[in-house]
Amino acid sequence: MSDPAPRPVGSTSIPVIDAPTHHDLVPPPVPRPAEVAARARSQAPPSRPTRVPFFASAAQPEIVRANQKDLYYLGQLTERFEDVSRSLLGTRWLQTWSKELSQGSRLAYFGLTTLLGSQTLGEEYCDIMQYSVKSRKPPTARRRALLLSLHILLPYIISKAYSNARRALVARNEAAEQKRLAEASLDSLFASAPPPPRKKSFAARMLDSLAAISADLPTFETITEDYLRSVHLAVFYLWGRYYNLSKRAAGIRFISTQASRAAAAQPTGGASPPSSYEVLGVLMVVQLGVRTLLALRKRRAAAEALKEEGAATFAEKPAESGRKKTFTVDGQPLSALVFDPDDPEQASPYPEEEEVTIYVVFGLGWYNGLHRGLGGGRGRHGGGGGPGGGAPPGGADLDRFESPPIWLGADSLAAAAAEAVEEKPLTALGKEADNVYKLGGLDRRAYQQELESFIKTHFPRADSDDSDPDSLINAMRAYFPEPGTKDRALPAVPERLWQTSATHGQYRDKEPATSSFLNMHRDLNVTFHDDSAANAWVTSRFAMEKPEVPNAAARMPTGVVKAWERLSTPAVLRSDTWRYLVLAVEGGVYADSDVHCLRPISTWGDDPSWDGNRPSDYRPPSLIVGIEADVGNRHDWHSWWPRPLQFSQWTIASARGHPVLIDTLRRVVEMALAPLPTPLPSVMERTGPGPFTDAVLRYVRIGWGKTWADLKDLGQDGWRAHGRENPWGDIKILSITGFSPGVGHMGAEEIGHPAAMAKHEFAGSWRNQEGAEAR
């Protein structure tokens, strides 16, 4: 284009705009987003990458507090389940399926919360939530189901399988031991060597090896709670990630949803970091290390002692070859079967008379076997029976002797005589049921001296004051009269009720049970101790006047207080011990807080068949106990009860200083002060019905010759001791209806029966205590 022509001066200048070409109409190209982003990154100053916000991990105190809350609400739910099951299915069903019911309540609690993707009550209380470590998102339904299976179902299945396997191995070991002893006794009758043992397969040898150590294997609860959980808890205290093994296996952790904790998780957050339990974790590691070293040292010392004992036994064998053998039955020489060492008018046999006694006993057995073989009875080598069979006059049970083979030598004759007088099982349950009772010595004077020595060693000096007629030791001596003492009156059970519970709140929840006692006794003195009051009473009442020094003979500490300090966990150990203590030193009636009184205490010693008409010479008993379990012929009794026949200790009535309570305390205190064996005995054996039942049976065995088999299948009148000096003995044993009416088994009648004295609700709160399932 040419330039425009100039205009005259003074005229208005109008700019001329060139017309656009085709290329000027095309818009400029739009840059791509990637190019814009690249240009922005190149022009922006370098900086740190931005962190994606995420909630902070839950702190250790929050996780522990949430777990404690869950345990509390789970316990409440379990109690409701037990109440409903007891009312619908009965107490017997509840006792049989208590563990399964507990697992069911756990499954219900976590199934309605965790499995559905919701917070548990404890997690909601502490503002924490679960998340998957792998995806950093809430756990999926499949992972939550895996967590529930690992937390509840798998431990239960493993526990059942382990218990059954351990029981089978113990039975296999016992059968092998009995077979070995039987073969050894047979081999000793012949001069020829026994045939070589049959070669076993590798699997059989492995099973035999496991069976040999099965009795020393710990329970599943001991493995999981004492060992595995302790180690895992120490790891949690150190790093604070997984509180449960199940969550570690499922890969699930917790985050905190609190605002302050979320701010602390950010780089610029000003909140202080949460508290940590690392110090506690270090202490637990040190404790576990010390426990491991002590266990190894103890095992090494036991192995060395066993080795030395074996060497000493081997060295003594040549010296013993020239000695006379002394044969014993139940720990007593055979002369005790013929001679009475407790009779002052009868001289004890001299040592050389022991062999003569053996042949006298053997001669009686041989004569009896010959007599039966000729028609008087049925022996191993004899024929049929006749009217002349049976025990001879005077009560001598010669049917226990068998006619031995006539070709035996002198030593074999003596061994056969000793074997012939070995006691047969008292019931069809076999020797296992007989041997579970740990009665102790049965000599009357030794029994009294043992109890007096216990009081002098472990009680305050005032309790063993011989000059004080009201001292505890003199109160106990009233039950050991001198020979020839005429009829004497023994103290009756005072109408005083003793009860205990963990807190006053728990005791108030059981107020209807206590009111049942007050409604029947206008002037009843009720004493309640919670855990704190019980501890204060024991430490004050049984404080020793002199410092507690180790017993030089037994090398263990002394004192009731020292034993009390060692019986802290589970709490039921102290609850059991407290009831024995108050009854021993004060007397009265102990009843669990869930026991209802059905009849006045003064009538508990009456026979129901009297129908309220007491004999004119009636005297009240000094001790009233009731049967808790009488298993009959159930061979699986050890899976449910510590004894095939045992006495309840949820209700006991006793006068002050009764030997049964003193002997029970002796067993509890001495076990508590002695080094605890491994595995740890159950609660039932440490303070529960086990030692109490043994003490009762020892007393009736020494006083009246009754065994546990004699007290089986008691009628509703129960059993009352009778003696020549005192026609009304001091102990009354109630039938199972007495303190367990309405349980629906073992012959127990309903609560309306005249034999029903008190009713137990079987709350079983002690089973939920920490450590209670060493059971």
Side-chain angles (χ1 to χ4, degrees):
M1 294 179 62
S2 60
D3 295 335
R7 292 184 180 275
V9 178
S11 61
T12 304
S13 177
I14 301 174
V16 178
I17 302 175
D18 296 337
T21 64
H22 172 73
H23 296 285
D24 294 335
L25 295 176
V26 178
V30 179
R32 297 178 182 178
E35 296 175 355
V36 175
R39 188 181 302 116
R41 285 196 299 269
S42 62
Q43 296 177 358
S47 61
R48 299 179 60 185
T50 304
R51 181 179 179 182
V52 178
F54 191 75
F55 288 101
S57 298
Q60 292 168 323
E62 295 171 339
I63 299 175
V64 173
R65 193 178 302 116
N67 183 74
Q68 292 174 344
K69 280 290 182 181
D70 285 336
L71 289 179
Y72 170 77
Y73 291 119
L74 182 59
Q76 297 292 321
L77 180 63
T78 303
E79 288 186 5
R80 300 300 180 270
F81 273 35
E82 290 178 349
D83 292 340
V84 173
S85 302
R86 186 183 298 110
S87 59
L88 295 179
L89 303 174
T91 305
R92 170 62 178 167
W93 185 93
L94 181 60
Q95 288 181 333
T96 304
W97 301 98
S98 60
K99 287 188 176 181
E100 285 73 13
L101 187 65
S102 176
Q103 297 297 326
S105 62
R106 296 179 66 197
L107 192 62
Y109 180 80
F110 291 105
L112 294 174
T113 54
T114 301
L115 187 61
L116 298 181
S118 302
Q119 291 174 291
T120 65
L121 296 177
E123 295 168 3
E124 184 179 358
Y125 177 82
C126 297
D127 291 328
I128 62 176
M129 293 181 62
Q130 298 178 6
Y131 78 96
S132 174
V133 177
K134 185 177 181 180
S135 63
R136 295 175 69 85
K137 295 180 180 180
T140 61
R142 181 178 299 179
R143 191 170 292 272
R144 294 195 302 269
L146 174 63
L147 173 62
L148 211 63
S149 301
L150 295 175
H151 190 60
I152 299 174
L153 299 179
L154 185 62
Y156 174 75
I157 296 174
I158 295 178
S159 174
K160 283 293 184 182
Y162 180 83
S163 300
N164 293 336
R166 184 170 179 266
R167 192 178 299 117
L169 289 174
V170 170
R172 181 186 181 94
N173 184 49
E174 292 177 352
E177 185 67 17
Q178 293 177 359
K179 181 179 179 181
R180 186 186 66 81
L181 293 176
E183 292 176 352
S185 61
L186 282 175
D187 296 338
S188 64
L189 300 178
F190 304 94
S192 60
R198 194 184 313 174
K199 187 176 181 180
K200 298 182 178 180
S201 63
F202 176 76
R205 293 197 302 272
M206 289 296 297
L207 286 176
D208 290 341
S209 301
L210 290 175
I213 62 173
S214 58
D216 299 328
L217 291 176
T219 62
F220 181 78
E221 290 78 10
T222 301
I223 295 175
T224 55
E225 296 297 329
D226 292 353
Y227 303 146
L228 193 57
R229 176 164 173 76
S230 297
V231 175
H232 189 266
L233 193 60
V235 174
F236 168 75
Y237 285 152
L238 288 174
W239 286 280
R241 295 179 180 176
Y242 302 97
Y243 187 75
N244 302 106
L245 280 169
S246 55
K247 288 186 172 62
R248 180 181 293 274
I252 294 178
R253 291 181 60 186
F254 288 104
I255 58 172
S256 176
T257 59
Q258 297 181 14
S260 60
R261 296 278 289 111
Q266 304 302 322
T268 59
S272 60
S275 57
S276 175
Y277 291 160
E278 290 183 0
V279 176
L280 187 57
V282 172
L283 293 178
M284 285 197 66
V285 171
V286 173
Q287 182 187 21
L288 291 172
V290 172
R291 286 174 56 185
T292 303
L293 291 177
L294 291 178
L296 293 176
R297 182 181 299 178
K298 183 178 179 181
R299 176 168 295 185
R300 182 182 300 176
E304 293 177 355
L306 185 63
K307 184 178 180 180
E308 293 177 359
E309 182 180 355
T313 304
F314 180 78
E316 291 174 0
K317 281 184 178 181
E320 291 179 353
S321 58
R323 301 177 186 173
K324 293 183 178 180
K325 296 182 179 179
T326 302
F327 296 91
T328 61
V329 177
D330 289 344
Q332 296 183 355
L334 283 176
S335 59
L337 300 175
V338 179
F339 299 96
D340 185 7
D342 294 330
D343 189 355
E345 298 180 359
Q346 183 178 358
S348 299
Y350 294 101
E352 56 269 16
E353 291 179 317
E354 187 69 40
E355 189 173 358
V356 177
T357 305
I358 293 174
Y359 291 106
V360 169
V361 174
F362 168 76
L364 293 174
W366 181 85
Y367 172 79
N368 184 58
L370 179 63
H371 172 68
R372 286 181 292 173
L374 295 176
R378 179 168 298 178
R380 192 184 312 174
H381 305 283
D397 187 9
L398 294 182
D399 286 336
R400 295 168 60 184
F401 298 95
E402 302 287 349
S403 53
I406 59 175
W407 61 83
L408 299 181
D411 292 338
S412 299
L413 289 175
E419 183 180 358
V421 299
E422 182 181 358
E423 290 187 0
K424 297 178 180 178
L426 297 176
T427 66
L429 298 179
K431 294 297 292 182
E432 178 188 6
D434 300 338
N435 296 335
V436 76
Y437 293 99
K438 307 173 183 64
L439 304 189
L442 301 179
D443 178 71
R444 183 183 180 90
R445 279 181 286 184
Y447 173 54
Q448 178 182 357
Q449 293 172 0
E450 184 180 37
L451 299 186
E452 291 184 1
S453 175
F454 168 69
I455 295 177
K456 293 177 180 178
T457 303
H458 297 282
F459 281 69
R461 192 176 305 163
D463 290 324
S464 57
D465 188 358
D466 294 328
S467 61
D468 183 5
D470 295 329
S471 65
L472 180 63
I473 197 168
N474 283 326
M476 187 197 68
R477 286 170 178 165
Y479 298 91
F480 296 96
E482 295 296 331
T485 303
K486 298 300 182 182
D487 187 14
R488 70 197 188 285
L490 292 173
V493 176
E495 290 191 356
R496 181 175 185 180
L497 179 64
W498 297 88
Q499 291 188 306
T500 183
S501 189
T503 62
H504 280 271
Q506 294 182 7
Y507 184 63
R508 283 192 296 268
D509 292 341
K510 304 295 192 302
E511 184 178 356
T514 305
S515 299
S516 65
F517 282 90
L518 296 174
N519 294 336
M520 288 193 178
H521 308 87
R522 176 178 301 177
D523 301 324
L524 182 65
N525 184 359
V526 180
T527 302
F528 167 76
H529 281 182
D530 60 6
D531 288 351
S532 177
N535 181 67
W537 179 78
V538 171
T539 54
S540 173
R541 169 62 178 80
F542 298 97
M544 306 287 281
E545 290 80 1
K546 55 184 179 179
E548 297 178 1
V549 296
N551 189 339
R555 292 187 178 181
M556 68 179 186
T558 59
V560 170
V561 176
K562 184 65 67 175
W564 177 266
E565 293 173 352
R566 298 189 177 187
L567 296 171
S568 57
T569 303
V572 68
L573 297 177
R574 287 190 171 183
S575 174
D576 290 339
T577 307
W578 179 85
R579 73 190 66 181
Y580 303 141
L581 287 172
V582 295
L583 294 181
V585 302
E586 299 291 343
V589 175
Y590 170 82
D592 279 0
S593 57
D594 60 341
V595 171
H596 294 260
C597 184
L598 302 178
R599 297 183 183 276
I601 297 173
S602 59
T603 65
W604 286 6
D606 294 2
D607 290 354
S609 60
W610 294 347
D611 197 18
N613 299 317
R614 286 178 174 173
S616 57
D617 61 342
Y618 170 81
R619 289 183 179 177
S622 301
L623 177 68
I624 303 174
V625 298
I627 290 180
E628 176 186 2
D630 184 356
V631 303
N633 292 327
R634 285 190 56 170
H635 288 272
D636 63 339
W637 58 267
H638 44 73
S639 300
W640 312 104
W641 300 278
R643 304 289 186 272
L645 180 117
Q646 72 183 35
F647 301 103
S648 65
Q649 33 117 236
W650 59 70
T651 306
I652 308 171
S654 174
R656 176 174 178 265
H658 198 280
V660 167
L661 274 304
I662 303 297
D663 193 20
T664 305
L665 282 171
R666 179 191 65 81
R667 299 166 187 266
V668 170
V669 170
E670 290 181 355
M671 180 179 289
L673 295 178
L676 291 178
T678 302
L680 189 67
S682 66
V683 171
M684 298 288 193
E685 293 292 347
R686 296 174 67 184
T687 61
F692 179 65
T693 298
D694 293 344
V696 173
L697 289 177
R698 185 188 190 189
Y699 187 71
V700 299
R701 179 73 177 273
I702 292 175
W704 296 273
K706 297 292 183 180
T707 66
W708 74 274
D710 297 323
L711 301 176
K712 287 176 60 63
D713 303 321
L714 282 184
Q716 298 303 333
D717 279 351
W719 179 80
R720 177 71 185 270
H722 296 277
R724 287 175 294 182
E725 295 87 359
N726 185 1
W728 296 99
D730 59 277
I731 181 171
K732 168 76 173 185
I733 298 179
L734 304 180
S735 67
I736 195 170
T737 307
F739 291 153
S740 304
V743 296
H745 61 91
M746 300 181 184
E749 299 290 344
E750 297 301 321
I751 60 175
H753 194 275
M757 306 299 171
K759 182 181 184 299
H760 189 213
E761 293 292 347
F762 296 99
S765 59
W766 68 272
R767 298 181 185 273
N768 299 323
Q769 297 172 3
E770 180 182 356
E773 283 306 321
R775 155 186 156 78

